[in-house]
């Protein structure tokens, strides 16, 4: 049986898993964690390049079958969100190792699709050059963060945006990601061939070479919005690649994201049945 590092993945994820400090105890978090669950529901061979403590028990919460290459670190990247009357304050108590191109196995460099999911400015921008000919999704929130000496997270300019975004086939971010500087929306949209700015239940805007087009969200009774944006971005990237149609892919992604907010935590990740139903809905003849 071949070693996982020798298998060419269908969907390669690059980014840190996180240890999230919550009132309910430690929880697995990070864009790549939710994206792993979503891509697995599509039946894809999923690979993950990450860095965390070598004995991190939260790794067990990743889907079965995901090929994980962990670059061992002293600590897993650890976040806590503290909600105060003036708004959310985020702390990063630990940060695992920066992920570098040299860490990626040769077979994984031939992945059919790639998704950069930085959460703590850990993905080296040079990865964008490596995958210049591969369908690439970028969810860039983690490149716009910096950790202060006391652990508090603040927003910072993303110096590598002009290097990374033109290489990406799809860029997805939310209004929350640029709340510190809303003027970044047109700047990023001008750099990215296709960029989606999500606005939760309000739908969002798709920029195609800088030209805006709106799309609608599906209504849902919200229980937990955590990870919905990651579900949306991953599904959109996968379905656009499979169907070659951005608008049908948006419909599938919006359906799965709406489903995800109705359940807490990773139980909100799509199931294979939900994926099949969403794909069937966009493939059915009108009026069916």
């Amino acid at each position: 049986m071949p070693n996982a590092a020798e298998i060419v993945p269908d969907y390669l994820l690059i980014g840190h898993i996180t240890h999230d400090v919550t009132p309910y105890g430690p929880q697995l978090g990070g864009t790549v964690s939710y994206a792993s669950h979503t891509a697995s529901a599509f039946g894809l061979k999923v690979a993950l390049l990450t860095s965390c403590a070598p004995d991190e028990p939260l790794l067990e919460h990743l889907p079965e079958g995901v090929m994980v290459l962990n670059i061992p670190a002293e600590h897993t990247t650890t976040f806590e969100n503290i909600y105060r009357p003036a708004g959310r304050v985020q702390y990063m108590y630990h940060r695992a190792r920066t992920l570098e191109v040299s860490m990626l196995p040769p077979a994984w460099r031939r992945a059919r699709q790639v998704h950069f999911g930085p959460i703590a400015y850990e993905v080296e921008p040079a990865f964008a050059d490596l995958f210049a000919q591969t369908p690439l999704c970028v969810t860039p929130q983690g490149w716009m963060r910096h950790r202060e000496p006391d652990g508090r997270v603040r927003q910072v300019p993303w110096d590598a945006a002009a290097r990374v975004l033109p290489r990406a086939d799809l860029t997805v971010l939310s209004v929350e990601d640029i709340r510190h500087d809303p003027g970044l929306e047109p700047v990023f949209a001008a750099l990215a061939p296709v960029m989606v700015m999500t606005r939760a239940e309000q739908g969002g805007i798709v920029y195609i070479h800088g030209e805006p087009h709106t799309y609608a969200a599906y209504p849902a009774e919200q229980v937990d919005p955590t990870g919905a944006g990651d579900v949306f971005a991953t599904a959109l990237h996968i379905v656009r690649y499979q169907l070659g149609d951005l608008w049908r892919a948006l419909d599938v992604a919006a359906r799965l994201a709406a489903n995800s907010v109705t359940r807490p935590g990773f139980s909100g990740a799509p199931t294979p049945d939900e994926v099949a139903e969403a794909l069937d809905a966009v493939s059915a003849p009108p009026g069916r």
Side-chain angles (χ1 to χ4, degrees), residues 126-178:
F127 277 107
D129 302 322
L130 181 66
F131 294 110
Q133 305 302 317
T134 305
L136 170 63
C137 175
V138 170
T139 46
Q141 61 171 316
W143 276 309
M144 293 180 278
R145 290 176 173 153
H146 179 75
R147 181 176 62 156
E148 299 289 357
D150 65 353
R152 185 163 177 166
V153 175
R154 66 179 175 92
Q155 303 298 320
V156 295
W158 178 22
D159 294 336
R163 180 178 181 181
V164 174
L165 291 181
R167 299 281 196 183
D169 295 84
L170 175 65
T171 299
V172 182
L173 65 163
S174 76
V175 291
E176 293 297 323
D177 297 334
I178 59 167

Side-chain angles (χ1 to χ4, degrees), residues 111-265:
R112 293 172 179 85
Q113 287 184 271
V114 180
H115 184 160
F116 298 164
I119 201 74
Y121 49 94
E122 73 275 20
V123 179
E124 192 178 56
F127 277 107
D129 302 322
L130 181 66
F131 294 110
Q133 305 302 317
T134 305
L136 170 63
C137 175
V138 170
T139 46
Q141 61 171 316
W143 276 309
M144 293 180 278
R145 290 176 173 153
H146 179 75
R147 181 176 62 156
E148 299 289 357
D150 65 353
R152 185 163 177 166
V153 175
R154 66 179 175 92
Q155 303 298 320
V156 295
W158 178 22
D159 294 336
R163 180 178 181 181
V164 174
L165 291 181
R167 299 281 196 183
D169 295 84
L170 175 65
T171 299
V172 182
L173 65 163
S174 76
V175 291
E176 293 297 323
D177 297 334
I178 59 167
R179 187 169 293 281
H180 64 290
D181 186 358
L184 289 174
E185 184 169 345
V187 174
F188 289 170
L191 291 169
V194 177
M195 186 182 91
V196 182
M197 178 65 68
T198 65
R199 288 175 163 80
E201 70 277 1
Q202 298 174 27
I205 300 177
V206 183
Y207 291 92
I208 301 175
H209 299 294
E211 291 295 321
H213 309 265
T214 60
Y215 74 90
Y218 281 90
E221 186 173 338
Q222 182 170 293
V223 173
D224 182 3
T226 306
D230 302 322
V231 169
F232 176 91
T234 307
L236 178 58
H237 189 40
I238 291 169
V239 179
R240 184 185 179 205
Y241 176 75
Q242 291 182 346
L243 301 184
D245 186 318
L246 174 62
W247 303 106
R248 286 197 291 167
L250 273 166
D251 189 282
V252 171
R255 289 174 187 270
L256 295 178
N259 288 345
S260 76
V261 304
T262 65
R263 304 187 295 263

Side-chain angles (χ1 to χ4, degrees), residues 30-192:
T31 292
V32 297
S33 301
Y34 285 92
S36 293
H37 280 269
T38 303
S40 294
F42 277 85
L44 302 182
K45 288 184 293 184
V46 181
L48 169 60
L49 174 65
T50 195
S51 178
C52 65
D55 56 350
E56 176 55 68
L58 292 173
L59 283 171
E60 298 177 4
H61 295 278
L62 290 170
E64 184 178 355
V66 172
M67 300 176 285
V68 180
L69 175 54
N70 177 34
I71 308 303
E74 184 177 358
H75 299 285
T76 300
T77 297
T78 303
F79 281 96
E80 182 176 17
N81 293 317
I82 298 174
Y83 294 91
R84 296 173 177 166
R88 185 184 76 168
V89 178
Q90 187 174 61
Y91 285 87
M92 187 193 309
Y93 298 123
H94 301 290
R95 180 180 176 273
R97 293 176 60 184
T98 296
L99 300 173
E100 302 172 359
V101 169
S102 61
M103 299 170 175
L104 198 64
W108 289 17
R109 299 175 185 221
R110 304 196 305 274
R112 293 172 179 85
Q113 287 184 271
V114 180
H115 184 160
F116 298 164
I119 201 74
Y121 49 94
E122 73 275 20
V123 179
E124 192 178 56
F127 277 107
D129 302 322
L130 181 66
F131 294 110
Q133 305 302 317
T134 305
L136 170 63
C137 175
V138 170
T139 46
Q141 61 171 316
W143 276 309
M144 293 180 278
R145 290 176 173 153
H146 179 75
R147 181 176 62 156
E148 299 289 357
D150 65 353
R152 185 163 177 166
V153 175
R154 66 179 175 92
Q155 303 298 320
V156 295
W158 178 22
D159 294 336
R163 180 178 181 181
V164 174
L165 291 181
R167 299 281 196 183
D169 295 84
L170 175 65
T171 299
V172 182
L173 65 163
S174 76
V175 291
E176 293 297 323
D177 297 334
I178 59 167
R179 187 169 293 281
H180 64 290
D181 186 358
L184 289 174
E185 184 169 345
V187 174
F188 289 170
L191 291 169

Side-chain angles (χ1 to χ4, degrees), residues 259-260 263-271 274:
N259 288 345
S260 76
R263 304 187 295 263
F266 287 107
S267 66
T271 66
E274 287 173 335

